[in-house]
Amino acid sequence: MKAAVIVLCSVALPALADPVVPTFTDETATSGLSTVYEGEWEYMVGGGVASFDCSGDGFPELFLSGGAGPSALYLNRSAVGGELTFEKTDAITLDAVLGAYPLDIDSDGLMDLVVLRQGPNLLMRGLGDCKFEDATETWGFDGGEAWSTAFAAIWEKGQDWPTIAIGNYIDRAAEDFPWGSCTDNWLHRPESGPDGRRFAPPVPLTPSFCALSMLFTDWNRSGQWALRVSNDREYYKGGQEQLWHLDPGQPPRLYTEAEGWKRLRIWGMGIAAADVNRDGYQDYFLTSMADNKLQFLKDPASGKPDYADLAFKSGVTAHRPYTGDDLRPSTAWHPQFADVNNDGWLDIFVAKGNVAKMPDFAERDPNNLLLGTADGPFVEAGDRAGVASMGIGRGAQVVDLNLDGMLDIVVVNRWTPAEVWRQTGESTGNWVQVRLAQDGTNRDAIGALVEIRRGEAIERHEIASGGGHVSGSVGWLHFGLGEATGAEMRVIWPDGSADPWLTLPVGSFQILRPGKPPEIWVPG
């Protein structure tokens, strides 16, 4: 089964060297969001938000983790282009929740939710109309008893059921918990049972080093996905960033230094992937404490996963607060690539916050909004855009919550309510949003590749389930187009079939299905 590919072409015009700064309005107080991520040291990591549509109206709902307090699912009651409004439900009021990722596990067209917890993880099966049931046992999923802080999922070749990777943090059974050894991450592959598809017993990903983020990626464009793992904390015991081979039907195995994988030791918090330099290969932004990385593949022709860090050259080290008087090192958590100002250049949002009150790190640590430019370096605009919160940030989502074509931002904070900002300024460029939909397995085409032609260059994106910091999203795929007057797309689906190129109008929502013309969708 080959990965799906979308090719999007636009009539690109030169962008301005200085990016237009978007305007955000803090609508936390009126949004209806009230969940607080509570807890002491057991919840020092985690604190995620998931966005997905479970009501069927196209607007993304929000699921907020509560840590030691209750989690909550919020129905999106926003009007198109209007103020952000949510209604709290009692659909999933679980405790000990660290984060969550939406995933249609059984491919029934109803979104399910993978819930990461302190203790047994849960698979919540979607029943429609934003109702859920616990299907963990039914689907043979071993939820474990760990402190689970990372997730990724992919449909492996020939499978009609996903493979799920779970990253676990510190061993909760250790005598010196919470300062004991890291515990094994798990790979859950599918198997056939008497009642149909389910998950096989998990395979330990040994060695494991306190994972805080995971992402399946086709790093070398071979058609074979690998698993990236970003790790925290246990480096005095040999830990490092990891890349795992995931060959069909074979046990997972680590890439080695002999294969080109270089030892890298950071306080890894989150992963985001995108084709920043438009060479057709994924680049990776890795958050850490005072040392964020932006990795580019050195020599794709070599076939080796050997990366150069160009964070400093690109202006995205974001190693200390850029506003305020606290200039101690920063602590970065959830990273996300998105074209926030619709100018056709990728931006980076980073949620930030001290672990608690670590004296060597900034206590007033604002979120970053790093705007991409035509000349390469990113420009910090968090304070000018209005999103430089001093809350103790953790997980986040950059998503169009009111379906007006402009991206909004929601951030989960530790000990204070989640914050949400609506983009309220004039859109600085055109955009298009698409959803992939296919019958049978993998309804949302996880593993799709999106290629965007920007003049002579081609920008390539993987549509993945995972990454960030305990925060996942399934929904509309948003592409800023700048001054382009049209967008041309092609989709290559997971079975390898390729649709002809399509010309899509800007400012529209389009549903794409294999072998069929695009379906325009209008919010409301």
Side-chain angles (χ1 to χ4, degrees), residues 16-72:
L16 297 175
D18 294 325
V20 176
V21 177
T23 300
F24 288 87
T25 298
D26 186 346
E27 296 190 345
T28 303
T30 58
S31 67
L33 301 180
S34 60
T35 295
V36 176
Y37 184 68
E38 301 278 13
E40 296 305 316
W41 53 262
E42 305 99 318
Y43 298 96
M44 62 185 176
V45 298
V49 51
S51 65
F52 59 101
D53 174 23
C54 61
S55 63
D57 64 359
F59 287 76
E61 272 70 55
L62 295 177
F63 175 78
L64 299 180
S65 57
S71 61

Side-chain angles (χ1 to χ4, degrees), residues 85 208 318 325 367 388 439 473:
T85 306
S208 295
D325 57 5
N367 303 322
D439 295 332
S473 180

Side-chain angles (χ1 to χ4, degrees), residues 182 207-209 231 233-242 254 257 263-265:
C182 301
S208 295
F209 303 109
N231 295 308
R233 216 178 149 264
E234 289 274 309
Y235 297 125
Y236 58 88
K237 292 187 178 180
Q240 60 173 298
E241 300 297 283
Q242 294 173 308
L254 280 170
E257 292 191 35
R263 180 181 292 259
L264 175 64
R265 296 179 174 184

Side-chain angles (χ1 to χ4, degrees), residues 146-283:
W147 180 343
S148 297
T149 48
F151 165 92
I154 195 68
W155 271 257
E156 295 189 72
K157 293 179 180 180
Q159 297 292 343
D160 58 3
W161 198 259
T163 290
I164 291 177
I166 298 290
N168 297 316
Y169 201 54
I170 302 164
D171 185 358
R172 297 175 74 238
E175 291 183 2
D176 55 349
F177 178 76
W179 313 120
S181 300
C182 301
T183 189
D184 283 335
N185 303 323
W186 283 358
L187 188 72
H188 301 258
R189 279 174 155 162
E191 68 175 2
S192 296
D195 300 321
R197 290 299 248 165
R198 51 190 286 121
F199 290 98
V203 176
L205 293 172
T206 305
S208 295
F209 303 109
C210 296
L212 286 179
S213 192
M214 291 176 155
L215 189 68
F216 285 110
T217 179
D218 183 9
W219 66 272
N220 58 357
R221 296 178 55 174
S222 66
Q224 179 57 54
W225 294 77
L227 178 65
R228 280 204 68 143
V229 183
S230 197
N231 295 308
D232 180 31
R233 216 178 149 264
E234 289 274 309
Y235 297 125
Y236 58 88
K237 292 187 178 180
Q240 60 173 298
E241 300 297 283
Q242 294 173 308
L243 183 67
W244 291 84
H245 288 276
L246 198 69
D247 300 322
Q250 299 298 316
R253 59 187 176 88
L254 280 170
Y255 277 85
T256 65
E257 292 191 35
E259 294 175 287
W261 183 251
K262 297 293 192 299
R263 180 181 292 259
L264 175 64
R265 296 179 174 184
I266 60 174
W267 296 77
M269 310 291 199
I271 307 172
D275 183 8
V276 177
N277 62 359
R278 300 179 177 180
D279 67 350
Y281 291 84
Q282 295 300 282
D283 311 306

